[in-house]
């Protein structure tokens, strides 16, 4: 077998993607297919009482090096495993259903589902406001079906969609960091049918669904992918050539996106992404960008964006890839909490500069992006059209993503309503897409404090289109005593950061030729008064201003 036949080749150029192994629309499907470039034999193993049945697979051919396909389709509901070179049976790396756990047999999934979202045209997510939903904590039941029952309340808050925490299957005892099966939905959450019902219900409520993909745990050693081929580098069992540490803050092996045999892992990740978008009707995917960094001439993010763009054209609805990672989307928390914690501190000027540069996203700020993301955006206009970079996360949403560092601070539920309202205000007026959390937008809760926070979020979301229309305008941040003013174009935020009420001359500090400033919204409207250009406001009670004659 030649090196090419074994799949040991560099990635191809973006303009000429490799043909799908068999039919990408049926991977995984009823006819088992697997990438095992170094195998001499691969068998489908059908568990049987007493003695398992083994059926040999065949190489697809030179046009798909390293791929093995079964001769026969398996009926939905059939359990099977793979045996490489006569070794111990192991699950399909692309298992869609694992009812017996991560190490048990793969079950063939019937793809049919009675969708009712035929009229769903999708939503543009480049500046949309999303609510982070962590399935395990969103409801007492901790299931997708229970979460779906709250989607009408989520839609009433005004958000455009939900960002759904990872649902990939993992060992409930050892946790997801020990390894996840990307293609399977965690059974305790309800499995794949429950995810389809959730997405269908979200679309009925007018909500888009963005699914988090925990790539950093996708090739953990305990998953046994080394039995098939070089899915990873840096594995204690797999190949060590060119090994580098895993994603920041982890001991996991790194996805092989740029080394020998990287075509298979790239196909693996592309097939996973396309499956969620096509078979589960999700509208976008959140990528752990640090886990996908590579040094190849054609970055994987660019290749994935090309495939997603093409799939969106076939499906006739917009599809979006959002990128995230440690320190990229959680900057709002440290900046605003720092301002509120020490309003008279000597570092006030530095805090305000950080607010302007890292939270509001001033047009002279250059957010850090890994090289592969920068190159992916440059690769083609089409790739850039589906890639959305930095987000603005509220604290609980930051803690719930796979790359959240341990011990990242106390729960914000212990903070006052006023402080939560402040964070909401800055998040929704930020220049990057905001991801809210259920600690600050407690949908489904019936107490007065929760209803007030949800109503405040809805008000701010209603004002956001005016802000994003001027997202390229320079950001100004001023302070006057313990009052802070942040302005972009015709919109501004005022906040008395101390513990006493205050008065500030907004006409002097925010001089504009667009007409006088007016109060657009106030957390405590009875205390916010604007008279003769001077604004009176309550302590830690944010006020949103807009110019009366705005362009």
């Amino acid at each position: 077998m030649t090196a090419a036949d074994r799949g040991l080749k560099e990635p191809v150029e973006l303009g000429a993607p490799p043909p799908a192994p068999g039919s990408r629309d049926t991977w995984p499907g009823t006819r088992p297919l697997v990438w095992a470039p170094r195998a001499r034999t691969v068998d489908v193993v059908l568990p049987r009482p007493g003695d398992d049945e083994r059926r040999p697979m065949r190489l697809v051919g030179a046009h798909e090096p390293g791929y093995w396909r079964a001769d026969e389709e398996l009926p939905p509901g059939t359990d099977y495993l793979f045996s490489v070179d006569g070794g111990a049976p192991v699950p399909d790396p692309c298992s869609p259903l694992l009812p017996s756990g991560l190490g048990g047999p793969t079950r063939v999934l019937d793809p049919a589902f009675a969708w009712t979202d035929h009229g769903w045209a999708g939503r543009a997510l480049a500046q949309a406001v999303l609510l982070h939903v962590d399935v395990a904590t969103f409801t007492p039941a901790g299931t997708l079906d229970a979460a779906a029952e709250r989607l009408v309340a989520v839609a009433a808050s005004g958000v455009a969609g939900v960002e759904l925490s990872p649902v990939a299957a993992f060992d409930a005892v050892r946790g997801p960091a020990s390894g996840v099966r990307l293609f399977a939905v965690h059974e305790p959450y309800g499995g794949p049918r429950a995810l389809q019902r959730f997405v269908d219900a979200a679309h009925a409520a007018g909500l888009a669904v963005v699914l988090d993909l925990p790539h950093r745990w996708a090739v953990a050693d305990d998953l046994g992918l080394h039995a098939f081929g070089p899915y990873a580098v840096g594995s204690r069992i797999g190949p060590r050539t060119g090994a580098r540490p895993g994603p920041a803050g982890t001991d996991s092996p790194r996805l092989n996106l740029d080394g020998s045999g990287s075509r298979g892992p790239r196909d693996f990740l592309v097939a996973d992404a396309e499956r969620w978008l096509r078979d589960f009707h999700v509208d976008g995917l959140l990528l752990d960008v640090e886990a996908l960094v590579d040094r190849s001439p054609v970055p994987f993010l660019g290749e994935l964006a090309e495939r997603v763009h093409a799939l969106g054209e076939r499906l006739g609805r917009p599809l979006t890839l959002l990128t995230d990672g440690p320190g990229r989307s959680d900057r709002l928390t440290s900046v605003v909490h720092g301002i509120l914690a020490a309003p008279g501190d000597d570092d006030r000027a530095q805090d305000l500069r950080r607010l302007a540069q890292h939270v509001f996203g001033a047009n002279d700020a250059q957010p850090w992006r890994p090289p592969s993301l920068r190159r992916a955006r440059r690769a083609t206009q089409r790739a850039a059209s589906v890639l959305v970079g930095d987000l603005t996360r509220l604290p609980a949403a930051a803690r719930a993503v796979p790359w959240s560092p341990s011990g990242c601070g106390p729960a914000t539920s212990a903070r006052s309503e006023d402080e939560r309202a402040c964070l909401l205000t800055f998040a929704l007026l930020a220049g990057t897409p905001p991801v809210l959390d259920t600690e600050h937008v407690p949908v489904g809760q019936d107490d007065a404090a929760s209803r007030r926070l949800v109503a405040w979020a809805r008000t701010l979301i209603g004002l956001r289109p005016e802000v994003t229309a001027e997202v390229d305008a320079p950001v100004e941040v001023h302070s006057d005593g313990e009052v802070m003013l942040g302005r972009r174009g015709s919109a501004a935020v005022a906040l008395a950061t101390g513990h006493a009420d205050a008065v500030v001359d907004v006409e002097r500090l925010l001089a504009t030729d667009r007409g006088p400033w007016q109060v657009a919204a106030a957390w405590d409207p009875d205390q916010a008064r604007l008279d003769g250009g001077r604004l009176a406001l309550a302590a830690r009670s944010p006020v949103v201003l807009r110019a009366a004659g705005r362009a």
Side-chain angles (χ1 to χ4, degrees), residues 293-381:
V293 169
D294 65 276
R295 297 176 294 190
S296 63
V298 179
F300 171 72
L301 285 170
E303 178 182 340
L304 178 61
E306 280 282 291
R307 298 295 185 87
V308 169
H309 178 90
L311 180 61
E313 289 190 328
R314 293 201 304 271
L315 297 177
R317 56 185 174 90
L319 302 175
T320 306
L321 298 174
L322 298 100
T323 61
D324 203 359
R328 292 171 56 78
S329 64
D330 52 3
R331 296 164 296 189
L332 172 75
T333 306
S334 59
V335 174
V336 176
H337 280 176
I339 291 171
L340 293 173
D345 194 272
D346 292 339
D347 292 334
R348 162 58 66 84
Q350 180 178 348
D351 285 338
L352 295 180
R353 283 195 298 271
R354 290 172 61 210
L355 183 72
Q357 293 173 358
H358 298 312
V359 178
F360 281 102
N363 61 358
D364 60 345
Q366 296 296 322
W368 177 86
R369 293 188 176 94
S372 61
L373 179 57
R374 293 198 298 270
R375 285 185 287 117
R377 285 186 174 278
R378 290 197 300 265
T380 65
Q381 296 254 341

Side-chain angles (χ1 to χ4, degrees), residues 368-405:
W368 177 86
R369 293 188 176 94
S372 61
L373 179 57
R374 293 198 298 270
R375 285 185 287 117
R377 285 186 174 278
R378 290 197 300 265
T380 65
Q381 296 254 341
R382 301 196 327 156
S385 69
V386 298
L387 274 170
V388 175
D390 296 329
L391 310 175
T392 295
R393 273 188 191 280
L394 291 188
R399 288 197 302 271
V401 292
W403 42 89
S404 175

Side-chain angles (χ1 to χ4, degrees), residues 489-541:
S490 301
V493 178
L495 175 66
T497 60
H499 294 279
D501 297 350
V503 177
V504 61
D505 190 340
V506 296
E507 295 294 348
R508 176 178 60 85
L509 291 173
L510 303 180
T512 178
D513 58 1
R514 303 189 185 189
W517 290 98
Q518 296 178 341
V519 174
W523 172 241
D524 191 346
D526 293 335
Q527 298 295 318
R529 299 182 304 277
L530 187 57
D531 185 14
R534 295 176 63 82
L535 174 67
L537 66 167
R540 304 197 171 209
S541 177

Side-chain angles (χ1 to χ4, degrees), residues 92-104:
D92 187 341
C94 302
S95 296
L97 194 59
L98 291 161
S100 300
L102 261 63

Side-chain angles (χ1 to χ4, degrees), residues 433-484:
V435 180
L436 311 183
D437 60 40
T438 53
E439 290 184 9
H440 292 80
V441 189
V443 294
Q445 306 300 317
D446 200 33
D447 59 286
S450 295
R451 291 196 301 271
R452 186 184 181 201
L453 282 166
V454 172
W456 180 238
R458 185 165 52 246
T459 297
L460 293 169
I461 291 171
L463 294 171
R464 182 164 171 77
E466 296 181 18
V467 178
T468 57
E470 298 181 282
V471 73
D472 293 329
V475 174
E476 305 170 18
V477 182
H478 305 277
S479 64
D480 186 3
E482 292 190 343
V483 177
M484 186 197 70

Side-chain angles (χ1 to χ4, degrees), residues 39-410:
R40 294 183 298 275
T41 64
V42 181
D43 296 326
V44 175
V45 180
L46 303 177
R48 297 284 189 262
D51 191 17
D52 296 340
E53 179 184 349
R54 290 178 176 248
R55 300 179 181 177
M57 301 176 71
R58 304 178 190 278
L59 280 167
V60 171
H63 65 290
E64 287 296 342
Y67 281 95
W68 299 74
R69 185 194 292 127
D71 287 337
E72 301 173 353
E73 294 188 3
L74 300 177
T78 303
D79 289 347
Y80 72 95
L81 300 107
F82 289 134
S83 173
V84 179
D85 294 335
V90 289
D92 187 341
C94 302
S95 296
L97 194 59
L98 291 161
S100 300
L102 261 63
T106 300
R107 180 165 294 173
V108 178
L109 177 67
D110 183 352
F113 181 76
W115 290 98
T116 65
D117 65 348
H118 310 298
W120 177 252
R123 299 191 69 161
L125 299 178
Q127 284 295 338
V129 179
L130 302 174
L131 179 70
H132 181 86
V133 171
D134 186 350
V135 178
T137 61
F138 189 52
T139 65
T143 65
L144 285 157
D145 285 332
E149 294 178 1
R150 291 192 175 180
L151 289 173
V152 172
V154 171
S157 71
V159 298
V162 297
E163 180 222 346
L164 192 60
S165 62
V167 298
F170 63 91
D171 186 293
V173 175
R174 303 182 62 197
S178 66
V180 299
R181 297 286 186 186
L182 284 182
F183 287 74
V185 179
H186 196 46
E187 286 296 318
Y189 294 164
R193 289 287 180 256
L195 178 59
Q196 289 173 317
R197 290 191 293 268
F198 179 92
V199 176
D200 203 42
H203 290 170
L207 296 168
V209 178
V210 173
L211 178 63
D212 293 16
L213 298 182
H215 291 114
R216 66 183 49 217
W217 300 325
V219 292
D221 287 326
D222 291 348
L223 295 172
L225 298 185
H226 51 273
F228 295 95
Y231 279 87
V233 292
S235 168
R236 63 173 181 266
I237 301 174
R240 304 292 299 183
T241 304
R244 302 202 303 275
T250 78
D251 296 323
S252 301
R254 185 178 65 87
L255 283 157
N256 179 19
L257 299 177
D258 53 10
S260 177
S262 59
R263 182 69 264 153
R266 284 181 169 228
D267 287 347
F268 171 76
L269 296 181
V270 169
D272 177 62
E274 290 183 331
R275 178 171 179 265
W276 301 119
L277 296 166
R278 181 191 62 238
D279 298 345
F280 290 83
H281 291 201
V282 303
D283 303 279
L285 300 171
L286 183 70
L287 311 176
D288 179 3
V289 68
E290 273 78 10
L292 300 177
V293 169
D294 65 276
R295 297 176 294 190
S296 63
V298 179
F300 171 72
L301 285 170
E303 178 182 340
L304 178 61
E306 280 282 291
R307 298 295 185 87
V308 169
H309 178 90
L311 180 61
E313 289 190 328
R314 293 201 304 271
L315 297 177
R317 56 185 174 90
L319 302 175
T320 306
L321 298 174
L322 298 100
T323 61
D324 203 359
R328 292 171 56 78
S329 64
D330 52 3
R331 296 164 296 189
L332 172 75
T333 306
S334 59
V335 174
V336 176
H337 280 176
I339 291 171
L340 293 173
D345 194 272
D346 292 339
D347 292 334
R348 162 58 66 84
Q350 180 178 348
D351 285 338
L352 295 180
R353 283 195 298 271
R354 290 172 61 210
L355 183 72
Q357 293 173 358
H358 298 312
V359 178
F360 281 102
N363 61 358
D364 60 345
Q366 296 296 322
W368 177 86
R369 293 188 176 94
S372 61
L373 179 57
R374 293 198 298 270
R375 285 185 287 117
R377 285 186 174 278
R378 290 197 300 265
T380 65
Q381 296 254 341
R382 301 196 327 156
S385 69
V386 298
L387 274 170
V388 175
D390 296 329
L391 310 175
T392 295
R393 273 188 191 280
L394 291 188
R399 288 197 302 271
V401 292
W403 42 89
S404 175
S406 58
C408 59

